[in-house]
Amino acid sequence: MTQKPNMIAEALSRGAVPGRGYTLARIISQILHPIPLSLISLIIIGIFGIEATREGFMWALFTAFLQIIPPMIFFIVRLRQGAYSDDDVSIRSQRNELYFFGIVNLLVGLLLLNLLAAPLPFRALVAAAALVSAIAWAINLAWKISVHSASMGSTATIAAIYYEPLGLLLWSCALVLGWARVRTRNHTPLQVVAGLTLATAGVLVTFMAFGLR
């Protein structure tokens, strides 16, 4: 009984129009969240980017442990401590520590993957994530860019590199997610486009630098 009033109050607090469209947009944002998208990117590389699928899947799990788990724990702890206004970290200034922690974590992970001679596509993916995160952090100092869209753009681009039909599907999902982020008033259309563009360019440039394109 309280879920509907709570959703209405949340929509109004964001300056969004309450209703089914808002509820649907929130669900889409939760499904296409940066955390599961990061895992999907790793699985795509593990399946399509490594000849030995079993080996690729194991490296995908190991890289996920390095790349995803520490930032997720950090976020949950800080959210429970009241450091963020909401689970979207809507206030731009509150995102800075998340960017910093994430970038440091990615660089440490990249170092470990290099030391362990991980397959090149996994190292390229982590390097691309570090590059995109660093640029997004610099942008965030003055303007809020969509992290959801950046994650979606990265995943869709990686899919397009290794299996075009899946890439087309995920780029379709990117359009849906873009609508959702604007519908909930988390971002403007320009912030969504900026996130998609930055991630796409970052992945392509990094993969070319690694000789994978």
Side-chain angles (χ1 to χ4, degrees):
M1 294 294 292
T2 59
Q3 185 174 4
K4 186 175 181 180
N6 285 345
M7 190 65 72
I8 291 173
E10 179 187 283
L12 292 173
S13 70
R14 295 177 184 273
V17 178
R20 292 181 179 178
Y22 180 85
T23 303
L24 176 61
R26 284 289 288 161
I27 293 172
I28 291 171
S29 293
Q30 290 165 1
I31 293 173
L32 299 177
H33 188 275
I35 291 176
L37 288 175
S38 296
L39 181 59
I40 290 171
S41 295
L42 291 167
I43 292 174
I44 289 171
I45 289 179
I47 294 175
F48 299 107
I50 309 298
E51 289 187 9
T53 303
R54 180 184 176 86
E55 178 187 355
F57 189 71
M58 295 304 294
W59 276 111
L61 290 180
F62 178 71
T63 308
F65 179 80
L66 294 177
Q67 180 182 349
I68 299 173
I69 301 301
M72 185 172 66
I73 293 174
F74 180 81
F75 170 76
I76 291 172
V77 170
R78 293 294 286 151
L79 181 65
R80 290 180 177 176
Q81 289 175 342
Y84 310 133
S85 58
D86 52 56
D87 58 359
D88 278 316
V89 195
S90 299
I91 298 175
R92 177 172 54 83
S93 61
Q94 294 177 352
R95 296 183 168 204
N96 288 324
E97 67 171 24
L98 281 172
Y99 276 117
F100 178 75
F101 184 91
I103 292 167
V104 171
N105 182 74
L106 287 166
L107 292 176
V108 171
L110 181 58
L111 177 62
L112 288 173
L113 290 176
N114 283 326
L115 290 174
L116 295 171
L120 200 58
F122 288 108
R123 285 183 270 172
L125 173 60
V126 175
L131 174 63
V132 171
S133 296
I135 297 174
W137 184 19
I139 293 172
N140 186 73
L141 296 175
W143 188 66
K144 189 167 73 168
I145 190 170
S146 174
V147 176
H148 272 74
S149 295
S151 298
M152 187 75 249
S154 174
T155 303
T157 302
I158 289 166
I161 290 173
Y162 288 102
Y163 188 61
E164 290 183 2
L166 180 58
L168 181 61
L169 174 62
L170 290 178
W171 271 112
S172 300
C173 292
L175 297 177
V176 175
L177 178 62
W179 166 81
R181 301 308 286 167
V182 174
R183 177 63 179 83
T184 58
R185 291 293 183 91
N186 283 99
H187 293 286
T188 65
L190 185 57
Q191 289 168 347
V192 167
V193 172
L196 290 170
T197 303
L198 171 61
T200 301
V203 168
L204 291 176
V205 167
T206 306
F207 272 62
M208 285 190 291
F210 276 73
L212 296 172
R213 288 294 293 157

